[in-house]
């Protein structure tokens, strides 16, 4: 299994500002992902964080809005840029120790962002 | 486009009841189906299913997959208030990502 630490766990942000969420895994993992969960909704994949290269974004998500870094096999960051109230969500980091993303996914505790 | 549909969306039962949660899917090149329990923020892993007809059990929880009919069920027997949570179904396919359903919100009343 993998233990994933995320911070901040929650934050209240002003419109137009940016916030970076950090995700630390206690072991080296192959795949890391960032999900968003808007109020009352399920998890939506934002992007796959690729080690040493640019992240792979899902439809509807762009690098300018959600820049992602993954400098090594245990750490990743997600920045939510130029925030608006619509960005108020829980952002979840996840990791898969195995090949691809079809193995068991472990999740961090999530970061609850409220944008005023 | 890959799709996962869960039903019911919400369910209220009394302690001791047995519940069945449903998950149907449409996915290209199916690889696996996973069940998660989400109580506060982080979903916690319950089961991963890859083969039809093989039941996975963990205590009062069990799950089975039907790859011909493209669905899975999650059973919880003798429910307890601690089972109250959102249960998420996710499917992995050819695109190598997990697609999640909207979840079933289970409330177990004493």
């Amino acid at each position: 299994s993998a233990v994933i630490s995320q911070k901040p766990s929650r934050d209240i942000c002003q419109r137009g500002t940016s916030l970076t969420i950090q995700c630390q895994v206690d072991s080296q993992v192959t795949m890391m992902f960032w999900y968003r969960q808007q109020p009352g909704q399920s998890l939506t994949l934002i992007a796959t964080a690729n080690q040493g290269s640019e992240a792979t974004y899902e439809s509807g998500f762009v690098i300018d809005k959600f820049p992602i870094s993954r400098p090594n096999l245990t750490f990743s960051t997600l920045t939510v840029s130029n925030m608006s109230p619509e960005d108020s969500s829980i952002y979840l980091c996840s990791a898969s120790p195995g090949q691809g993303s079809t193995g068991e996914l472990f999740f961090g505790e999530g970061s609850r962002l409220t944008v005023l | 486009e890959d799709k996962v549909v869960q039903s019911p969306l919400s369910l209220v039962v009394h302690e001791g009841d047995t519940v069945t949660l449903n998950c149907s899917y449409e996915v290209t090149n199916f690889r696996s189906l996973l069940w998660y329990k989400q109580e506060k923020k982080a979903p916690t892993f319950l089961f991963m299913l890859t083969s039809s007809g093989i039941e996975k059990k963990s205590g009062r929880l069990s799950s089975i997959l039907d790859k011909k009919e493209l669905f899975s069920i999650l059973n919880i027997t003798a429910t307890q208030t601690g089972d109250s949570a959102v249960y998420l179904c996710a499917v992995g396919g050819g695109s190598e990502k997990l697609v999640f359903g909207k979840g079933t919100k289970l409330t177990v009343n004493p």
Side-chain angles (χ1 to χ4, degrees):
Chain A
S1 66
V3 176
I4 301 176
S5 304
Q6 256 185 262
K7 58 180 181 181
S9 60
R10 60 175 59 228
D11 207 337
I12 298 173
C13 308
Q14 296 298 318
R15 183 195 297 259
T17 62
S18 299
L19 182 80
T20 296
I21 303 167
Q22 298 182 3
C23 176
Q24 179 74 55
V25 189
D26 69 343
S27 59
Q28 293 186 346
V29 292
T30 307
M31 310 287 285
M32 292 183 74
F33 306 91
W34 288 97
Y35 284 85
R36 179 174 75 180
Q37 188 173 31
Q38 294 180 301
Q41 301 296 314
S42 189
L43 280 70
T44 301
L45 181 63
I46 298 172
T48 303
N50 300 308
Q51 194 266 325
S53 64
E54 195 170 283
T56 305
Y57 290 84
E58 296 299 307
S59 175
F61 298 97
V62 295
I63 187 171
D64 289 346
K65 176 67 176 177
F66 298 101
I68 287 171
S69 78
R70 189 172 175 197
N72 56 50
L73 292 175
T74 64
F75 185 79
S76 179
T77 66
L78 168 75
T79 299
V80 186
S81 303
N82 188 25
M83 286 185 284
S84 66
E86 292 71 35
D87 295 320
S88 298
S89 284
I90 298 174
Y91 292 85
L92 291 150
C93 171
S94 66
S96 173
Q99 287 295 324
S101 65
T102 52
E104 178 182 344
L105 262 192
F106 298 94
F107 285 87
E109 287 296 311
S111 299
R112 185 185 295 272
L113 300 189
T114 302
V115 184
L116 303 177
Chain B
E1 186 179 330
D2 297 344
K3 190 164 64 172
V4 178
V5 178
Q6 291 185 248
S7 63
L9 292 180
S10 67
L11 191 56
V12 180
V13 300
H14 291 289
E15 267 193 318
D17 289 349
T18 293
V19 298
T20 298
L21 310 183
N22 303 295
C23 176
S24 64
Y25 62 90
E26 295 174 24
V27 65
T28 306
N29 298 326
F30 173 88
R31 296 190 188 189
S32 61
L33 184 145
L34 295 88
W35 285 96
Y36 286 86
K37 178 181 182 182
Q38 186 175 29
E39 293 180 84
K40 291 184 179 176
K41 285 194 288 187
T44 54
F45 173 79
L46 295 175
F47 299 112
M48 182 169 73
L49 303 157
T50 57
S51 301
S52 269
I54 299 175
E55 185 183 52
K56 295 232 175 163
K57 279 183 73 80
S58 177
R60 296 177 292 102
L61 278 66
S62 64
S63 183
I64 197 162
L65 173 68
D66 186 330
K67 288 167 74 173
K68 182 179 177 185
E69 301 298 328
L70 307 182
F71 79 90
S72 173
I73 60 172
L74 175 68
N75 278 323
I76 308 175
T77 60
T79 52
Q80 302 171 358
T81 55
D83 295 326
S84 296
V86 174
Y87 290 84
L88 296 167
C89 174
V91 174
S95 59
E96 292 201 14
K97 66 183 182 184
L98 284 186
V99 177
F100 282 82
K102 290 184 184 295
T104 294
K105 182 177 180 181
L106 174 65
T107 303
V108 182
N109 290 323

